[in-house]
Amino acid sequence: MQLSSITPKATLALCLAGASQAYADSVTDPISTFGVIASHNQYKLTVDDESDKERLNQGGLFYHFGNKLTGQEGFIYQAGIEGQYRDKDDVEYKSARADIDLGLRAALSTNNYVDVIVGGGYDWGRIEQDDVGPFDSNVKLTSKSPFAKAGLGYNYLTPDYTLRLEVGARYSINSEARLKVDGESDSVDLKDKVNPYGELTMLWNKGINNLPISTSLYYTQTRYELDSNSAVAERSKLKQEQVGLRVGLAF
């Protein structure tokens, strides 16, 4: 075929088709998302049915990689890591989480998809306080908790944005708390617990300089109980509830 036989209209159609395919690939391919977290935490300690609450704001960073937001039918996945920090009145609060999700997605219609995910990860948290008590002791309380995870997701995909709702639970496994006072430490096992979570995410496919922006509003609940037959352990419970916002740039 001669080059002269390709009309300007045909050339334009080929260019548009190529651009459309590139855009489709950019929407459905795995993406990296890096951004910031702001969260509000409520700690509720209950002893003998009497409760005391502490509220705390934290901030941090996160990074996710996968196609859980962008994928269509078939296999989906996402790996992520995040950390948060706060220093308040000589008390430092630190937390970190790493997890991975694997799942299968099915189409309900052209733009609507549902999926089932399973996964696992690791939670870590630490509270450090100086000058505690009459001897000005330095105290560190560290919690470590591997977990399994299961959830249900719903994705609504359009050329301009993707909306995702996910609800599920994390099941803590072989959790441990370690208390360290002036260099001396002791550890205690925690009971395995089911901890619910929910997350609503919006991926704006046309963001700053055509780079997608992701925003997520989430809720998590974590309960701690000592794995002991003692009377004190049976009467004491600690529950943490966290509401947070993630804002990130996808690339």
Side-chain angles (χ1 to χ4, degrees), residues 215-226:
T215 58
S216 299
L217 180 66
Y218 70 89
Y219 168 83
T220 64
Q221 181 186 114
T222 307
R223 293 180 295 162
Y224 305 93
E225 292 183 32
L226 298 178

Side-chain angles (χ1 to χ4, degrees), residues 74-89:
F75 177 66
I76 58 172
Y77 64 94
Q78 179 173 283
I81 187 169
E82 65 180 54
Q84 297 191 57
Y85 175 82
R86 173 67 187 271
D87 191 347
K88 177 185 178 183
D89 300 331

Side-chain angles (χ1 to χ4, degrees), residues 189-248:
D189 292 333
L190 301 176
K191 290 183 179 180
D192 298 342
K193 287 292 181 181
V194 175
N195 301 303
Y197 74 90
E199 185 167 352
L200 181 65
T201 302
M202 184 78 78
L203 175 64
W204 306 94
N205 295 331
K206 296 179 181 179
I208 301 174
N209 295 326
N210 291 324
L211 289 175
I213 294 175
S214 173
T215 58
S216 299
L217 180 66
Y218 70 89
Y219 168 83
T220 64
Q221 181 186 114
T222 307
R223 293 180 295 162
Y224 305 93
E225 292 183 32
L226 298 178
D227 190 6
S228 170
N229 294 324
S230 70
V232 174
E234 292 296 328
R235 301 191 330 254
S236 305
K237 299 177 182 179
L238 175 65
K239 181 173 72 173
Q240 177 192 2
E241 294 180 285
Q242 182 177 111
V243 177
L245 177 67
R246 298 187 186 95
V247 179

